[in-house]
Amino acid sequence: MIETRAPGKLFVAGEYAVVEPGQPAVLVAVDRYITVRLTESRDAGRIHSSEYGQTPLVWFREADSQSIVLDHRPADYVLAAISVVEELRAEMGTPPRYFDLDISSELDDASGRKFGLGSSAAVTTAAIAALDEFYTLGLTRTERYKLALLATIAISPNASGGDLAASTFGGWIRYSSPDRAALKLHREVHGVASALHCSEWLGSGVTRISPPESLHLLVGWTGSPASTDHLVKRVHTPGREKARPFESFTDESRLGVNALVAAFDEDDAIGALDRIRQTRRLLQRLGESSGSQIETEQLAALCDIAETYGAAAKPSGAGGGDCGIALSDAELPTIDILREWERHGIRRLSLTPHRPEGSIDDF
């Protein structure tokens, strides 16, 4: 049996802007995981996951041994991951084999509600790592990330890939996205192997960063799910009566992300906290100008409470629900923040950054 796991993630800065090619964001991988267990099978493949209920998803091969056919349910991220690896495997001349996947998740609560920690990215990342080992493809970690992005944009073309990078490389990272539409077209025309090393990746990349050791990360969950795709589309296409906010927003976001990274590099805790506060204000202005509720009532309470006690806080990711983050001085008592969060129905998630893993190759 092969077992792989991938961590969840949190956006720290650069949300929304990062969907534009070349725009940067800061993310951190966190220590809750999706685990994939792979065993070889015969005649058919099965995927066991709570996402599919008690009945496994069953798949077969087409006569060409490259394409796969589902017994039921539409394609999703797991099937997209399998498909992209199978396509690469065929291009490399590796013989096909059947396998079963068993998927378990720590990225939701006991009732199945997702925390907003990037479960789709984590399962895609873990599945590709398991298949890489199963077929002994010898992929680098960067190539596994690229395969995960090619799989993801087949399902969600607007996905930035930042969550995939965090799940693949771990730790704190600065990420900038490639032109996913160009990548998708390149794969369709030239295949997966060519798409892994084509020029459309230029301008994107991942670099490791380290926050000041004096800062402590707190994460609160509002209990309300949010649709990232829906919110991103709304921000990109606000109502006709509203001015388009996006061009100026991306400029401000880039400056803010780069300033945050510089504060991290210089071990400037005060500067980093100030940048987190400014990032919150920037997201508030984006929500107002686009008519989108990025900062819900509970997310506003989460942030306001943290700021009252000297921390800096903001929604993480697309907002509209899910999680908020707070950075505070490690010597600052956090019990008051957590007590007030609880009074407002905000659940603290006991998360710490997942360690950095592997090297990052040139893109």
Side-chain angles (χ1 to χ4, degrees), residues 112 239 260 267 314 359:
L260 178 63
D267 198 30
K314 59 178 286 294
S359 61

Side-chain angles (χ1 to χ4, degrees), residues 230-251:
H230 173 75
L231 285 163
V232 168
K233 287 177 182 177
R234 183 173 178 83
V235 166
H236 271 286
T237 55
R240 291 181 180 177
E241 74 282 1
K242 298 181 182 297
R244 285 184 60 86
F246 214 74
E247 289 183 9
S248 61
F249 171 77
T250 53
D251 291 340

Side-chain angles (χ1 to χ4, degrees), residues 36-261:
V36 171
R37 298 175 179 86
L38 182 153
T39 53
E40 189 162 12
S41 61
R42 301 173 65 88
D43 304 321
R46 294 170 179 81
I47 304 172
H48 300 264
S49 169
S50 60
E51 293 290 317
Y52 308 135
Q54 296 182 347
T55 303
L57 186 152
V58 181
W59 58 272
F60 304 92
R61 294 189 183 280
E62 290 276 23
D64 62 8
S65 79
Q66 176 176 319
S67 306
I68 61 175
V69 179
L70 291 177
D71 188 39
H72 60 90
R73 296 184 63 93
D76 64 2
Y77 292 99
V78 179
L79 268 298
I82 293 174
S83 295
V84 76
V85 174
E86 288 292 326
E87 186 177 337
L88 179 63
R89 185 251 337 136
E91 291 176 11
M92 295 174 66
T94 302
R97 297 154 68 188
Y98 275 112
F99 50 86
D100 295 339
L101 299 180
D102 186 271
I103 299 167
S104 58
S105 175
E106 300 172 354
L107 304 186
D108 45 29
D109 73 351
S111 67
R113 291 183 299 171
K114 297 184 185 302
F115 292 134
L117 298 176
S119 58
S120 297
V123 74
T124 304
T125 302
I128 284 175
L131 290 167
D132 175 31
E133 184 176 346
F134 180 64
Y135 281 125
T136 61
L137 299 177
L139 300 173
T140 67
R141 195 171 288 269
T142 297
E143 287 171 334
R144 294 209 312 258
Y145 150 74
K146 289 182 174 182
L147 275 184
L149 183 56
L150 290 171
T152 297
I153 60 178
I155 303 297
S156 178
N158 289 325
S160 72
D163 47 5
L164 298 165
S167 287
T168 300
F169 299 108
W172 296 75
I173 61 170
R174 180 192 187 275
Y175 171 82
S176 54
S177 59
D179 185 333
R180 281 90 67 211
L183 282 174
K184 188 172 185 292
L185 178 61
H186 191 104
R187 175 189 175 182
E188 292 169 355
V189 175
H190 302 287
V192 169
S194 176
L196 284 178
H197 303 287
C198 65
S199 61
E200 279 76 6
W201 295 99
L202 294 176
S204 67
V206 180
T207 54
R208 298 199 184 282
I209 55 177
S210 298
E213 293 185 1
S214 59
L215 293 182
H216 178 64
L217 176 68
L218 293 175
V219 184
W221 181 50
T222 65
S224 302
S227 170
T228 298
D229 280 350
H230 173 75
L231 285 163
V232 168
K233 287 177 182 177
R234 183 173 178 83
V235 166
H236 271 286
T237 55
R240 291 181 180 177
E241 74 282 1
K242 298 181 182 297
R244 285 184 60 86
F246 214 74
E247 289 183 9
S248 61
F249 171 77
T250 53
D251 291 340
E252 292 184 59
S253 178
R254 184 192 308 108
L255 291 172
V257 167
N258 290 338
L260 178 63
V261 171

